[in-house]
Amino acid sequence: MAKTKTVFYCQNCGYQASKWLGKCPACGEWNTFVEEVISKADDKKKGVKKGDKKAKPVPIGEITSEKEDRINTQSTELNRVLGGGLVSGSVVLVGGEPGIGKSTLLLQTALKMKGHRILYVSGEESLQQIKMRADRIGIQNESCFLLNETFTTDIFKQIESLEPDILIIDSIQTLYSDTLESSPGSISQIRETAGELMRFAKTTQVPVFLIGHITKEGNLAGPKVLEHMVDTVLQFEGDRHYGFRILRSMKNRFGSTSELGIFEMHAGGLREVQNPSDVLLSQRDEATSGIAIAAMIEGQRPLLIETQALVTQAAYGTPQRSATGFDLRRMNMLLAVLEKRSGFKLGTKDVFLNIAGGIRVDDPAIDLAVVAAILSSTEDLAIDSQVCFAAEVGLSGEIRAVTRVENRITEAEKLGFDKIILSKYSLKGLDKKQHQIEIVGIGNIEDLLQELFG
Ligand code: TYD
Ligand code: MG
C-alpha cells in the first residue's frame, strides 16, 4: 500500500514545503500554509522523463507566425474583453464572487454560440437547475450539451466521444483527478486538474473556459499558479444590489488588460450595455449638491460616471469615512489636500463617497470630480448638471493632466454636456474650436473653487 504523504502548500502562491511554516518564504504572507495529502503517483509524474520529446532550438526567422484564430462569442462585450474574440486553444479563467453571475454569463454565451458544439460541464448544479437557468435566458441551442461530472478522467472520456469545439468547466474547484488523494478544491487538485485541461486545450486547440471561485479577500481561490498557468484571467464584478456587472480583464496573453465589458443582470439573463454613460448617469431634473460627473476612460472606452459625496458634521468623536467604488486611502488623501489647500475644516466631518451604479474605478481622472462633489456637499451648493470633470489631483493641490482628453471631451459632447473642466496642462495642443462644448483648464484647488462657486 502506498504510504500516505502530506505536504504543505502556501494558499497564496502555491509554495510547497514539507512542514508547516508560519510565514511563506516565497511570498512572505503569514499563516497561509495548509496540509494536503498527496499520493506516490503524484511524485512520479512530476519528474521530467528523459527521452520524452526532444525539442530543438529553432532560429526565430524560420518560425512562421500564425495569425491566431478568433472565434466570435456572439457577445460584443465578451469579445472586447477577450481582445477581439476567443482564441483557439486558449484557457480563460473567469473569477467572481458567488452569485455574481458567472454561470449565467457562460451558459448564456454557450447558448448564443450557435453552430459550435459546446460542452458545459457542471460540478456545482444539477442538469435540471442548469436547464431552468437556460429557460430563463430563453435561447434554444441544440448543439449545447450539459454534463454533470467532476472526475476529470470521465470528463475526458465524454469529450472524446462528443468532440466539442468549446469546453466550459463550472467550476475548477469542484473537479478532481485520481492521481492525487487530496480533496476537490484543494490547491494540489486545482493545480492538477487545471494542468490537465491546459494540456487538453493546447493539444486539441479547443478553447476552455474555467469558472473559478473567489476568496473572502477577493482573490481567486487556489494558488496564484492557476493565474500564471491560464492564458486569460477575467474578473466578473459588481455590486449585487445593482444590476450592473463589469467583466474586467486581469491578464490576457492575446489582448490588452485594461479592457472592460459592461452587462446588466435582468430577469432573462445578462444584457449587454453598449452605451454605459447613458445608463450610469442617474436621471435627475434639478441639481442636487454633492454630485459631480467624471469623464473617465476605462479600457478603450470613454465613460461618464457620477460621483456622489455626502459631508456632514460628525455626530461622534471619530469622523466616519467611507467610500464605495473608490479607494478609501485615495479619498483620505484628497481630503487632506482639501483641508490644507482650501482651508475647509473637513477633519471633524463624516465623509461618504459613492460611485453610482456600483462600479469600481481605477482611472485617476476621477479625482477632480470626487473633490468637486465633496466641496459641493460641504458648501451645500449644487454643481450645474451640465458640467463634467476630468483631471488628477496632486498632493500639493495641483490639477494634473490625464491621458486621452480628446476622447473624454468628445464623449461629454456626445452626451450633451455644456462644459468640461480639465487641467490647464491638458489644453496644450488642443483645438478648442473643434468642439462645441466649453473647455476650461484649471491649475489648482482655488481655481476649482472659483469655477464651482464663483
Ligand atoms: P449565477 O450565474 O448562478 O452566479 P454565480 O455562478 O456567479 O454564482 O447567477 C446569480 C444570480 O443572478 C442569481 O442570484 C440570480 C440572478 N439571475 C437573474 O437575475 N436573472 C437571470 O436571468 C438569471 C439566470 C440569474
Ligand atoms: Mg455558478
Side-chain angles (χ1 to χ4, degrees):
M1 206 180 85
K3 221 174 94 200
T4 37
K5 191 182 164 204
T6 62
V7 291
F8 292 83
Y9 283 105
C10 166
Q11 280 173 300
N12 187 47
C13 68
Y15 181 84
Q16 190 181 340
S18 56
K19 59 181 195 316
W20 189 86
L21 299 170
K23 183 182 177 187
C24 175
C27 66
E29 285 294 315
W30 287 91
N31 212 8
T32 53
F33 276 84
V34 287
E35 184 176 19
E36 285 186 10
V37 182
I38 56 163
S39 74
K40 286 276 174 198
D42 182 38
D43 281 358
K44 262 185 258 145
K45 261 191 65 216
K46 278 211 175 116
V48 179
K49 267 190 257 147
K50 284 200 182 109
D52 250 5
K53 198 167 118 195
K54 289 199 189 80
K56 272 199 241 123
V58 182
I60 192 162
E62 284 177 21
I63 305 169
T64 48
S65 62
E66 288 167 37
K67 178 115 183 54
E68 73 259 15
D69 247 343
R70 297 272 182 178
I71 305 163
N72 182 357
T73 61
Q74 304 301 327
S75 156
T76 335
E77 300 297 297
L78 184 57
N79 283 345
R80 185 207 314 276
V81 179
L82 289 171
L86 183 60
V87 176
S88 296
S90 67
V91 178
V92 181
L93 178 64
V94 180
E97 284 178 20
I100 205 77
K102 303 178 293 295
S103 305
T104 308
L105 176 71
L106 290 183
L107 182 64
Q108 183 169 335
T109 307
L111 293 174
K112 273 190 179 173
M113 292 177 76
K114 295 193 174 133
H116 292 278
R117 195 184 270 269
I118 299 174
L119 179 60
Y120 186 106
V121 182
S122 179
E124 305 235 325
E125 290 154 307
S126 68
L127 299 183
Q128 285 70 29
Q129 281 173 308
I130 304 171
K131 176 74 171 97
M132 270 160 61
R133 179 173 298 132
D135 289 343
R136 274 183 88 168
I137 296 169
I139 305 173
Q140 307 287 335
N141 186 352
E142 291 305 315
S143 58
C144 176
F145 294 83
L146 302 179
L147 173 66
N148 195 231
E149 180 61 70
T150 53
F151 180 39
T152 50
T153 311
D154 286 342
I155 293 175
F156 284 120
K157 252 185 227 150
Q158 296 303 330
I159 289 175
E160 233 166 74
S161 63
L162 185 71
E163 294 188 340
D165 304 331
I166 294 168
L167 178 65
I168 298 172
I169 303 286
D170 188 2
S171 64
I172 186 72
Q173 275 88 359
T174 56
L175 296 194
Y176 75 97
S177 159
D178 64 353
T179 54
L180 302 177
E181 274 165 25
S182 48
S183 55
S186 64
I187 290 162
S188 41
Q189 281 289 5
I190 292 177
R191 190 147 63 170
E192 174 63 24
T193 50
E196 288 176 14
L197 289 162
M198 282 290 289
R199 283 191 291 278
F200 162 75
K202 298 302 164 197
T203 49
T204 58
Q205 288 300 302
V206 171
V208 177
F209 280 106
L210 301 177
I211 290 180
H213 291 184
I214 246 172
T215 60
K216 274 204 303 290
E217 293 79 36
N219 301 319
L220 275 155
K224 270 266 177 284
V225 263
L226 183 57
E227 287 175 51
H228 292 305
M229 283 162 87
V230 300
D231 299 301
T232 305
V233 179
L234 304 182
Q235 189 144 311
F236 207 34
E237 56 187 42
D239 197 316
R240 242 182 304 160
H241 307 293
Y242 293 95
F244 294 111
R245 298 285 181 273
I246 293 191
L247 190 63
R248 235 179 246 277
S249 157
M250 312 298 279
K251 161 183 175 178
N252 194 353
R253 288 195 179 134
F254 311 107
S256 139
T257 49
S258 53
E259 278 310 342
L260 198 84
I262 304 180
F263 297 87
E264 194 180 358
M265 180 70 89
H266 65 118
L270 287 156
R271 190 186 289 144
E272 305 193 0
V273 179
Q274 311 258 346
N275 47 348
S277 301
D278 272 356
V279 203
L280 289 176
L281 297 178
S282 69
Q283 288 74 33
R284 61 198 159 107
D285 296 330
E286 54 197 81
T288 328
S289 71
I291 293 182
I293 313 288
M296 317 262 306
I297 301 268
E298 278 288 356
Q300 294 304 311
R301 278 202 292 187
L303 189 70
L304 276 100
I305 245 182
E306 191 175 290
T307 60
Q308 304 171 335
L310 178 65
V311 181
T312 54
Q313 195 59 43
Y316 308 102
T318 322
Q320 293 188 62
R321 299 283 157 89
S322 124
T324 333
F326 190 72
D327 183 13
L328 186 61
R329 271 174 308 179
R330 182 125 194 118
M331 182 179 92
N332 283 329
M333 184 216 98
L334 292 174
L335 288 172
V337 170
L338 276 180
E339 176 113 27
K340 179 119 182 154
R341 305 289 156 192
S342 70
F344 282 104
K345 292 278 163 279
L346 293 164
T348 58
K349 300 271 173 49
D350 286 342
V351 181
F352 305 95
L353 186 75
N354 182 27
I355 309 297
I359 283 181
R360 182 172 65 81
V361 283
D362 297 326
D363 186 353
I366 196 172
D367 283 0
L368 191 58
V370 168
V371 167
I374 291 171
L375 289 176
S376 160
S377 179
T378 312
E379 289 291 280
D380 201 17
L381 282 172
I383 298 170
D384 185 349
S385 62
Q386 296 306 309
V387 177
C388 62
F389 303 85
E392 193 182 334
V393 176
L395 279 181
S396 59
E398 80 276 18
I399 310 295
R400 309 168 66 123
V402 286
T403 53
R404 308 192 27 214
V405 273
E406 286 276 359
N407 297 44
R408 301 176 199 266
I409 295 171
T410 320
E411 177 76 1
E413 201 167 51
K414 212 167 72 193
L415 288 161
F417 281 83
D418 296 338
K419 193 198 254 185
I420 182 164
I421 300 181
L422 307 166
S423 158
K424 62 179 181 192
Y425 304 106
S426 289
L427 301 188
K428 283 187 197 133
L430 194 74
D431 187 6
K432 281 196 195 181
K433 284 193 208 72
Q434 267 193 2
H435 301 280
Q436 307 280 323
I437 187 171
E438 184 188 349
I439 301 168
V440 178
I442 58 171
N444 50 41
I445 299 280
E446 289 86 75
D447 293 353
L448 175 67
L449 286 169
Q450 186 64 30
E451 266 306 319
L452 291 181
F453 314 122

